[in-house]
């Protein structure tokens, strides 16, 4: 599991590096792009994932203590919170589509005060969809893992002497949550103090 997580760190590390480089060269574009995302749904999703980390930790503790009922209950709660995150993300993606901010599909440039457009504007949105899309894919995989763990719990697979699969699933879930904790400020808070009005 640790080796797998190391490869995941490299994957997201590359994305964060790309974000940093493009933001360095196109700072104003990233500030405006972040401002257009809005913060409420992103903040809500951050709280949802932090709560899911808590329920996942409680599930691992219940498995180590041999409490089958609590383990299954906390796993179900974690999956519900994961589903809530995905639902909110779907709402966000739908809003971006209706606002014509999906690069390569229906992107419409903002008009600058001089009547022109910023040719680099789609860069932020491309990275946004790339980073949050890959993160969402990891969420889907994580929910599949939790569903498998839930089934194994129902079949009395785990005991205080054997809870390793639950602990490994917990590590994966916490990793995905931590990635979001880094994504949220980079994508949603960069434009927090932008007041509009162009570059």
């Amino acid at each position: 599991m640790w080796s797998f997580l190391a490869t995941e760190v490299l994957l997201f590390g590359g994305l964060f590096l790309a974000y940093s480089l493009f933001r360095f060269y196109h700072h104003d574009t990233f500030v405006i792009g972040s401002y257009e995302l809005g913060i409420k749904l992103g903040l809500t999703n951050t709280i949802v994932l932090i709560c899911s980390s808590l329920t996942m930790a409680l599930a691992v503790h219940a498995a180590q203590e041999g409490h089958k009922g609590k383990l299954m209950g906390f796993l179900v709660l974690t999956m519900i919170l994961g589903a809530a995150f995905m639902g909110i993300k779907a709402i966000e993606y739908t809003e971006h589509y209706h606002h014509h901010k999906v690069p390569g599909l229906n992107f419409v440039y903002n008009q600058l005060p001089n009547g022109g457009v910023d040719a680099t504007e789609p860069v932020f949105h491309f990275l946004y969809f790339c980073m949050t899309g890959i993160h969402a894919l990891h969420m889907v995989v994580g929910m599949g893992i939790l569903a498998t763990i839930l089934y194994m719990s129902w079949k009395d697979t785990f005991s205080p002497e054997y809870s390793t699969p639950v602990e490994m699933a917990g590590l994966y879930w916490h990793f995905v949550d931590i990635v979001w904790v880094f994504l949220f400020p980079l994508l949603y808070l960069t434009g927090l103090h932008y007041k509009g009005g162009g570059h």
Side-chain angles (χ1 to χ4, degrees):
M1 173 55 76
W2 289 110
S3 298
F4 171 74
L5 291 181
T7 63
E8 293 292 288
V9 169
L10 290 176
L11 169 64
F12 282 102
L15 291 172
F16 284 122
L17 177 62
Y19 174 93
S20 300
L21 289 174
F22 282 110
R23 177 176 166 176
F24 178 78
Y25 288 108
H26 307 291
H27 178 266
D28 291 345
T29 299
F30 274 56
V31 169
I32 295 172
S34 174
Y35 172 77
E36 291 176 339
L37 290 181
I39 190 174
K40 290 181 180 178
L41 292 179
L43 178 61
T44 302
N45 256 349
T46 303
I47 295 171
V48 167
L49 276 195
I50 289 173
C51 290
S52 78
S53 264
L54 173 63
T55 56
M56 188 67 231
L58 292 172
V60 171
H61 179 71
Q64 292 169 337
E65 294 293 321
H67 299 306
K68 175 183 174 182
K70 289 183 178 179
L71 168 59
M72 295 183 68
F74 286 126
L75 285 174
V76 170
L77 277 176
T78 304
M79 293 173 66
I80 290 174
L81 290 168
F85 176 91
M86 295 301 293
I88 293 171
K89 203 70 219 160
I91 293 172
E92 280 191 282
Y93 280 178
T94 302
E95 288 183 353
H96 300 327
Y97 178 80
H98 289 305
H99 293 156
H100 303 286
K101 291 301 176 185
V102 183
L105 186 61
N106 69 341
F107 195 86
V108 174
Y109 290 84
N110 292 326
Q111 197 79 17
L112 297 176
N114 62 7
V117 296
D118 178 6
T120 65
E121 187 183 344
V123 173
F124 173 83
H125 297 277
F126 173 79
L127 282 172
Y128 164 78
F129 279 105
C130 188
M131 297 172 87
T132 59
I134 291 176
H135 177 266
L137 180 62
H138 280 72
M139 288 289 296
V140 172
V141 172
M143 291 177 68
I145 293 172
L146 294 188
T148 304
I149 295 295
L150 181 64
Y151 175 75
M152 293 172 71
S153 304
W154 180 61
K155 300 292 284 185
D156 293 322
T157 303
F158 306 118
S159 67
E161 293 75 29
Y162 179 67
S163 59
T164 303
V166 183
E167 295 168 10
M168 295 299 102
L171 277 177
Y172 178 86
W173 193 262
H174 293 315
F175 172 79
V176 175
D177 289 355
I178 289 171
V179 169
W180 179 261
V181 169
F182 283 96
L183 287 177
F184 173 65
L186 289 177
L187 296 173
Y188 291 86
L189 301 185
T190 299
L192 189 61
H193 300 294
Y194 180 69
K195 302 300 182 184
H199 295 264

